Amino acid sequence: MKKTSLLQEEKRSTILFLVLFYVVFYVYDIFYYRLFPAFPWLDVGTASTIWYDFMYVRYVVLTALIPLSLYLFI
């Protein structure tokens, strides 16, 4: 069996957590904000709120944190 240090295992598990977090986050948002509004029971006026527009800023910030987090852990 290959011997790896505990620090190396913790780094790998942290990177795995980050990858899984971003995958689940983006898949959920794509479903909730893109596919779910196509269903007929959605109110058409809800898409024009300020929070709907703020969503794109959130995507930019979270995507910009990926290189920073990888830099800090690698």
Side-chain angles (χ1 to χ4, degrees), residues 2 5 24-25 34 36 43 47 54 61 63 66 73:
K2 188 177 178 182
S5 69
V24 169
F25 177 76
R34 298 289 177 228
F36 192 67
D43 182 20
F54 183 69
V61 169
T63 305
I66 293 173
F73 285 112

Side-chain angles (χ1 to χ4, degrees), residues 31-62:
F31 174 76
Y32 190 74
Y33 290 110
R34 298 289 177 228
L35 298 177
F36 192 67
F39 294 124
W41 55 79
L42 180 72
D43 182 20
V44 178
T46 59
S48 64
T49 63
I50 186 85
W51 296 113
Y52 188 78
D53 297 333
F54 183 69
M55 175 180 61
Y56 296 109
V57 174
R58 183 179 60 181
Y59 289 151
V60 170
V61 169
L62 283 173

